[in-house]
Amino acid sequence: MAGVGEVLMSVLSTIRVPRAGDRVHKDECALSFSSPESEGGLYVCMNSFLGFGSQYVERHHARTGQRAYLHITRVRKKEDDGSSGSEDPPKKKPTRLAIGIEGGFDIEQEQYEEDVKVVLFPERLEVTSDDLDSMPDVVMERVSLSMAGLMAADSVSHALQVQQWDGEVRQESRHAADLKQLDNGIKIPPSGWRCEVCDLQENLWMNLTDGKVMCGRRYFDGSGGNNHALQHFQETGHPLAVKLGTITPDGADVYSYDEDDMVLDSKLPEHLSHFGIDMMTMEKTERTMTELEIAVNQRVGEWEVIQESGTTLKPLFGSGLTGMKNLGNSCYLNSVMQVLFTVPDFQTKYVSNIDKIFDEAPSDPTQDFKTQVAKLGYGLLSGEYSKPALDPVDDPNAEPRGDQAGIAPRMFKALVGRGHPEFSTNRQQDAQEFLLYFINMVERNCRSGMNPSEAFRFLVEERIVCQQSQKAKYTQRVDYIVQLPVPMDQASNIEEMQETERRREEAESSGAPVPPAPRACIPFSACLAAWSEPETLTDFWSSAVHAKTTATKTTCFASFPDHLVIQIKKFTFGLDWVPKKLDVSIDVPDTLDLSALRGMGQQPGEELLPEVAPPPLMTPDVEVKGILGPHGNEEDDSLYSPLLCQSVSPVLDDSTVSQLCEMGFPLEACRKAVYYTGNTGIDAAMNWVMGHMDDPDFSAPLVLPGCSSAPGTTPTESISEEHLATIVSMGFSREQATRALRATSNILERAVDWIFSHLDDLESMEVSEGGRSAAESEGSREPPPGPRVRDGAGKYELFAFISHMGTSTMCGHYVCHIKKDQQWVIFNDQKVCASEKPPKDLGYLYFYRRMPE
C-alpha cells in the first residue's frame, strides 16, 4: 500500500471534511438518477461533495482534476425466510397524520448492506478503512475524518425527502375562550344521535353555541353528509362544532367554520358540559378527521382508486415509459413533466443535446436549470430506469409488478421550486399553475437559442366594439393555455339533474335518504362557444364618445400553436364564495378543428377607436382646472401626462377592498377590481376578480391609465442599481428593467416574474440611439416585431390529458394519459400501464398537437 499512500499524500490537500452547511450529494448522481443502490454504486467527490454514477465519474475527474472519491455501494438485505427462527416485526401502520416523526408516514427506509471505500482516479486505486491503518498518521486522520463526515452528513436528497410535517398540530381557536352558549335547555344524550334536518346517523357535528346536531360536509365522491352543519353556521354565525363519536376523556375533533380549520378548544369539557355531555364517560365510536385523512392518504397511491379501477392493467416498460416516484404530493409535477417530454421541442432541446449540455454545465450542476431538466428528460425517455421494482426474494421469472423502480425527481423539484412559496413545499399544487410556472422558467433560461416553450405560445386577438359609436379596438396578447368555461346550463342531461334536485329537496324535507346527484354532461362545443361568444362590457370607457358605455368583446385566435393546451375550468366559487369543483363529464373530441375561430383583424370599412387613455378617478378635493391642460381644454394632451399621477389618487371604497382581501385575494388585485368597476360595489368587483384571476399581472400594483408607475411613485423614484444590473445581465435593456421594477415596488423577484409575463409589451421598448423608445423615434422606421409565435392550420389531434381526483386543486391526486404509438398509456407516478378505458371525459388539462396537412 506504499504506492497508494503516496498518491493519497499527493492529493491530501484536495480532500475536505464536511462542515455544517455543506451540501452533500451522497444519494443521487448530479447528472443521472444513479444511486448507491445502482449498478456500479455512487462516487462522491471528496472535495465538492457532488455525487456521480459510474458512467459520469470519469467525466468529472477529467474536467476538474479531482482524484479522490468516496465510493458507496448498497445492496438491500434479503428478508428473513423464517428458517432462522426469528422474524422482523411487520411494518407499523401510520397512526399520525405526519411525515418523518414517530407514528407518522414512514419515509421508505430499507435495510441495506453498505460498502464504503476511497477510489483514486484515474488509476481506480481502492483504499478501505482498514488500509488506512498502515498509512502515515496525517493521511489516516484526514481521510478517516472525511469518510466519517461524509457518511454522517445528511444528504441533500434525504433532507428534501424527509421533511418533518405534522398535519395534527392545531391552533387554539380564537372563539374558544369567550364562546357564548345559549341557555336553551338542550341536553344531548350519550348516543343515538341523528341530524335534525335529514335524519343522518353518522358524520354528525354538534354546534357548541346552541347544541344543534347536524350532518357534516358532503365529500367529492358523494359520501359524507349533506352540509347541514355548514349551512347552520352560514345562517347563524355560530362558529364552533364538535364531531360526535370522537369525544373521549382525551379530547375530540373541533372545527371552526369561521377559521375554516380543525382547532383546539381548551374549554371543551366546560362547553360540552353545558349541553349535558360528560367527557370523562364518553367513548369513541367514529373515526376522527385525522384517521379519515390518513386512510385517504394510504389509498391515494393504490391502483384501485384510479379512474380505471376494476380493470387489470398491463404494466409497460421501455423507452418513454418510465415512472416517477411521488415525493409527497408531487403527482402534479410528475404528470406535467411526463407530458412535456412527449413534445418534440423539449426532447430536442434537452435530451438530443444532453452531452453538450453536460459538457457545458457549471461546477455545481445540481444548481443549473438546463442540466437538471436534461437529466430529467433523459431519465424519462432513455428507458434505463423503466424496470420492474422487484424484491430481493422475487423469482426473476415471475410476472413483473405494476410498480417501477422509476426515477425520483428530487434535485429537479428542489431547483425549480426554490424560492417559490408553494412549489418549494410538499403540499399539493395546481397542475395548470405549475405548467405555466415551468414554461416561465423555460422562457427565462432560453433567451438565446432554441426555446421549446414556443411550441405552446400563441396570440389571442380581442376585438372590442363600442355599442354607441360602433367603432372597434383590436388588441393581441400572448398566451399558452386556452381556458374553457363550463356552462352548466348547457348540460345535455339537465332535465335529469333538475328532477334529481327536486327529489333531493323532497328527501331533505322529509328526512328520507338523499339520492346522489348525477354528473353533468356538458358538450365540448358548448364550452368552446362560451369561450368565443361575445361578452358584454357594461363599464367600458369609450374614447370615441369620451364616456362610459356598453361594449362587446370577442375573443379569437390570432395564431395557432404547434401544440395546444386546453384547461377545463372545473374549479369555481359557490354563492357563498366557497371554492368547489364542478362534477362534470365533457365529450372532449380526439380531433379538433378551430379554423373558424381565427381572428381576421380590422374589417373593411370598420373604424377604430381613437388611442386615448381614459381619465383617472380623482379625489373630490382635486380641482378640475388642475387636471385639465393649461387652457382648460379637455383635448389637451397634458390631461394624460404621467406627471399628474404624482398628485392624483384614485378614490377607492375601502370597505369593498377590505371585503375582497378577507376572501384571500391580493391587496393590489382588490384595489384594481374596485378601481376598474368604478366603486360600484362588492358584486361588480368580485366579478372583475373572477374574470381576471388568470391575468399575469393580477397581483401587480395598480397603475392608473396614462401613468407609467403605480400611485405613490414618480418617474424619478429611486430604483436599486443592483436590481437593475441583475435584470440587465439577463439581456434586457435598462429601460425595460426600470419599468419592471417600478411595476413591482422595486422587488427583484417580482420584477423578474413581471418582465417575463410582459414580453410582448417589452418587445416594443427597443431603445434607439437617441435614448427614446422606438415608438417615439421619428421617421418611418418599421415597428419592432412582436413575440415570436408559430402559426399554421387550426386542426389538432389529442395526444395527452391530465386528470385530477379530489375536491380541490390543493388536495387529491393527479394522473396523466399519453398516447404512445396509437396506444393510450396511463402514468400514475411509478405505475405505467396500458390504458383500457382512458377517461377522456373527466380530464382537467388536454394537450393537442397540430395534425399534418
Side-chain angles (χ1 to χ4, degrees):
M1 297 299 294
V4 176
E6 292 174 359
V7 175
L8 270 176
M9 179 66 79
S10 67
V11 300
L12 200 62
S13 62
T14 66
I15 296 177
R16 297 174 52 219
V17 178
R19 296 176 296 182
D22 282 337
R23 298 167 56 87
V24 177
H25 297 273
K26 64 177 183 180
D27 286 337
E28 182 181 343
C29 173
L31 302 177
S32 73
F33 292 94
S34 297
S35 69
E37 297 86 54
S38 303
E39 184 177 352
L42 193 73
Y43 295 82
V44 181
C45 174
M46 300 181 76
N47 180 268
S48 65
F49 309 138
L50 293 170
F52 297 93
S54 56
Q55 72 272 47
Y56 291 112
V57 63
E58 290 191 359
R59 178 198 294 255
H60 184 258
H61 158 69
R63 183 174 179 182
T64 64
Q66 295 296 331
R67 299 184 62 186
Y69 295 82
L70 187 68
H71 186 213
I72 307 174
T73 57
R74 296 193 194 117
V75 178
R76 192 158 49 151
K77 293 179 181 178
K78 292 187 176 181
E79 295 181 4
D80 196 325
D81 59 6
S83 59
S84 63
S86 63
E87 294 185 2
D88 290 332
K91 290 184 177 180
K92 293 182 179 180
K93 294 184 68 175
T95 59
R96 188 175 183 84
L97 190 64
I99 295 175
I101 63 177
E102 182 66 27
F105 286 87
D106 190 19
I107 299 298
E108 205 172 301
Q109 293 178 347
E110 303 287 354
Q111 295 298 313
Y112 291 95
E113 295 176 350
E114 197 167 55
D115 181 66
V116 180
K117 55 180 173 286
V118 175
V119 177
L120 301 172
F121 282 78
E123 302 90 346
R124 288 187 177 265
L125 300 174
E126 297 182 355
V127 182
T128 66
S129 296
D130 293 338
D131 295 333
L132 292 174
D133 294 338
S134 60
M135 295 186 182
D137 291 345
V138 63
V139 174
M140 180 182 67
E141 182 179 1
R142 170 64 69 87
V143 177
S144 297
L145 285 174
S146 180
M147 292 177 67
L150 284 171
M151 296 310 298
D154 279 336
S155 71
V156 174
S157 296
H158 184 72
L160 292 172
Q161 182 182 10
V162 190
Q163 292 187 28
Q164 285 194 1
W165 169 75
D166 194 340
E168 293 184 46
V169 174
R170 298 172 182 174
Q171 303 297 322
E172 177 79 6
S173 171
R174 64 171 178 263
H175 302 289
D178 302 312
L179 183 70
K180 294 181 179 179
Q181 294 186 284
L182 303 183
D183 292 322
N184 53 14
I186 290 180
K187 298 298 177 183
I188 304 299
S191 61
W193 311 296
R194 293 175 183 269
C195 175
E196 297 184 19
V197 177
C198 66
D199 233 21
L200 203 66
Q201 299 181 51
E202 60 183 15
N203 190 20
L204 299 175
W205 296 76
M206 183 192 77
N207 192 284
L208 289 174
T209 295
D210 57 18
K212 295 291 184 180
V213 176
M214 306 280 185
C215 60
R217 299 177 190 245
R218 183 181 299 116
Y219 304 140
F220 74 94
D221 60 357
S223 63
N226 293 312
N227 296 325
H228 291 136
L230 172 62
Q231 291 172 9
H232 183 65
F233 159 72
Q234 292 168 345
E235 294 168 0
T236 64
H238 300 160
L240 299 184
V242 61
K243 186 176 184 182
L244 298 175
T246 68
I247 304 172
T248 69
D250 297 322
D253 276 356
V254 179
Y255 190 82
S256 172
Y257 289 102
D258 180 54
E259 296 160 284
D260 196 20
D261 205 355
M262 301 297 296
V263 296
L264 295 177
D265 178 2
S266 58
K267 293 187 175 182
L268 184 60
E270 175 186 330
H271 294 155
L272 291 174
S273 177
H274 181 84
F275 296 108
I277 299 177
D278 183 1
M279 274 185 66
M280 303 309 295
T281 63
M282 297 298 290
E283 294 183 0
K284 181 171 168 292
T285 59
E286 279 206 20
R287 288 194 292 181
T288 65
M289 297 306 293
T290 294
E291 290 168 336
L292 288 171
E293 289 188 55
I294 289 174
V296 170
N297 278 278
Q298 285 181 297
R299 292 198 307 269
V300 77
E302 296 173 355
W303 202 238
E304 288 75 17
V305 303
I306 304 304
Q307 304 285 359
E308 299 182 57
S309 59
T311 305
T312 301
L313 301 178
K314 177 185 175 183
L316 298 177
F317 305 93
S319 176
L321 298 169
T322 303
M324 297 174 70
K325 292 182 180 179
N326 193 319
L327 306 179
N329 286 325
S330 64
C331 52
Y332 69 92
L333 178 149
N334 293 353
S335 296
V336 168
M337 299 314 298
Q338 288 281 13
V339 174
L340 287 183
F341 274 107
T342 307
V343 177
D345 294 75
F346 282 85
Q347 296 176 358
T348 301
K349 174 72 176 182
Y350 295 109
V351 181
S352 299
N353 299 319
I354 192 167
D355 288 332
K356 183 174 183 291
I357 292 173
F358 284 176
D359 287 339
E360 297 175 352
S363 58
D364 186 357
T366 68
Q367 303 301 300
D368 182 60
F369 179 81
K370 187 188 297 185
T371 302
Q372 290 307 309
V373 177
K375 167 185 167 180
L376 178 65
Y378 182 81
L380 291 175
L381 299 179
S382 66
E384 289 183 13
Y385 309 97
S386 182
K387 301 172 183 177
L390 295 175
D391 291 327
V393 295
D394 282 346
D395 181 356
N397 299 318
E399 286 291 322
R401 292 167 21 188
D403 286 56
Q404 292 187 8
I407 59 176
R410 295 190 185 96
M411 283 188 188
F412 173 81
K413 183 176 185 296
L415 181 63
V416 299
R418 185 176 58 194
H420 192 280
E422 292 298 333
F423 297 131
S424 61
T425 71
N426 279 342
R427 294 189 290 269
Q428 184 63 278
Q429 305 299 334
D430 185 348
Q432 180 258 359
E433 289 183 3
F434 178 75
L435 173 60
L436 288 178
Y437 174 76
F438 182 72
I439 287 177
N440 195 348
M441 294 196 75
V442 172
E443 294 278 10
R444 297 186 197 183
N445 287 273
C446 294
R447 293 291 294 171
S448 60
M450 178 186 178
N451 185 346
S453 65
E454 289 178 8
F456 299 111
R457 188 189 299 160
F458 63 96
L459 291 175
V460 175
E461 177 184 290
E462 292 183 344
R463 175 176 179 261
I464 300 178
V465 178
C466 168
Q467 294 300 291
Q468 190 168 341
S469 66
Q470 291 302 307
K471 294 182 179 181
K473 174 183 180 182
Y474 289 86
T475 59
Q476 289 187 349
R477 58 178 171 83
V478 172
D479 216 331
Y480 297 88
I481 295 180
V482 177
Q483 297 179 311
L484 295 187
V486 180
M488 296 295 290
D489 58 344
Q490 298 295 312
S492 59
N493 61 338
I494 192 167
E495 293 182 358
E496 177 191 1
M497 295 171 60
Q498 291 172 345
E499 174 61 21
T500 304
E501 183 60 29
R502 184 187 64 78
R503 290 165 50 202
R504 289 172 66 87
E505 291 176 358
E506 291 179 354
E508 289 180 358
S509 61
S510 64
V514 179
R519 175 173 290 141
C521 299
I522 312 294
F524 180 80
S525 57
C527 299
L528 205 55
W531 178 80
S532 59
E533 68 181 5
E535 174 188 355
T536 301
L537 307 178
T538 56
D539 285 322
F540 177 72
W541 191 88
S542 172
S543 57
V545 299
H546 293 280
K548 283 187 177 182
T549 184
T550 302
T552 58
K553 183 175 77 171
T554 307
T555 302
C556 53
F557 290 90
S559 68
F560 289 117
D562 289 349
H563 293 76
L564 181 69
V565 186
I566 294 179
Q567 177 196 12
I568 304 297
K569 298 181 70 173
K570 291 186 174 184
F571 299 95
T572 183
F573 288 88
L575 296 176
D576 53 1
W577 301 114
V578 175
K580 67 176 183 178
K581 178 181 176 181
L582 301 176
D583 185 19
V584 294
S585 170
I586 299 177
D587 61 339
V588 177
D590 289 318
T591 59
L592 194 58
D593 188 352
L594 302 176
S595 303
L597 296 180
R598 182 184 285 275
M600 304 304 293
Q602 184 178 0
Q603 302 300 300
E606 185 177 52
E607 290 189 60
L608 298 181
L609 286 166
E611 290 292 334
V612 179
L617 292 173
M618 296 170 292
T619 53
D621 58 335
V622 177
E623 295 184 18
V624 174
K625 64 182 181 181
I627 299 302
L628 300 179
H631 306 291
N633 186 348
E634 293 187 0
E635 299 298 323
D636 195 288
D637 288 341
S638 63
L639 171 61
Y640 307 111
S641 169
L643 295 177
L644 294 175
C645 297
Q646 300 177 39
S647 58
V648 177
S649 301
V651 180
L652 301 179
D653 184 347
D654 291 338
S655 64
T656 305
V657 174
S658 299
Q659 289 181 65
L660 291 174
C661 288
E662 289 172 0
M663 295 178 188
F665 299 111
L667 172 61
E668 290 298 335
C670 300
R671 286 168 51 81
K672 286 194 285 189
V674 175
Y675 174 80
Y676 286 115
T677 55
N679 291 318
T680 54
I682 184 65
D683 290 339
M686 192 65 212
N687 289 333
W688 188 96
V689 167
M690 300 307 297
H692 293 77
M693 287 182 67
D694 300 316
D695 293 355
D697 58 349
F698 177 65
S699 57
L702 169 64
V703 178
L704 298 183
C707 301
S708 61
S709 56
T713 65
T714 71
T716 59
E717 182 180 5
S718 176
I719 297 294
S720 168
E721 286 295 329
E722 181 181 355
H723 292 352
L724 277 174
T726 300
I727 298 177
V728 170
S729 69
M730 300 169 67
F732 297 99
S733 70
R734 185 179 178 87
E735 182 182 356
Q736 292 169 332
T738 301
R739 179 176 173 184
L741 288 166
R742 282 186 175 150
T744 55
S745 303
N746 206 21
I747 301 174
L748 178 60
E749 291 78 8
R750 287 178 57 192
V752 172
D753 286 334
W754 186 94
I755 206 169
F756 279 102
S757 63
H758 290 74
L759 290 175
D760 50 337
D761 297 331
L762 297 176
E763 290 291 344
S764 63
M765 291 181 61
E766 291 183 359
V767 180
S768 62
E769 290 183 359
R772 302 173 65 190
S773 68
E776 297 171 342
S777 299
E778 297 179 3
S780 58
R781 180 178 172 184
E782 289 293 322
R788 181 176 176 180
V789 294
R790 305 171 190 174
D791 198 5
K795 296 181 179 180
Y796 294 92
E797 61 179 348
L798 182 69
F799 74 92
F801 61 95
I802 295 175
S803 306
H804 173 267
M805 299 168 59
T807 55
S808 166
T809 55
M810 301 307 164
C811 65
H813 187 56
Y814 286 97
V815 300
C816 69
H817 287 72
I818 304 175
K819 204 170 189 178
K820 302 261 187 180
D821 299 324
Q822 302 307 309
Q823 164 70 54
W824 281 103
V825 179
I826 181 171
F827 292 80
N828 177 29
D829 292 335
Q830 286 174 257
K831 292 185 175 75
V832 180
C833 295
S835 173
E836 298 292 335
K837 298 178 181 178
K840 290 182 285 187
D841 60 323
L842 301 178
Y844 175 50
L845 297 174
Y846 293 88
F847 296 79
Y848 285 85
R849 58 187 164 215
R850 196 193 317 277
M851 296 174 64
E853 294 291 342

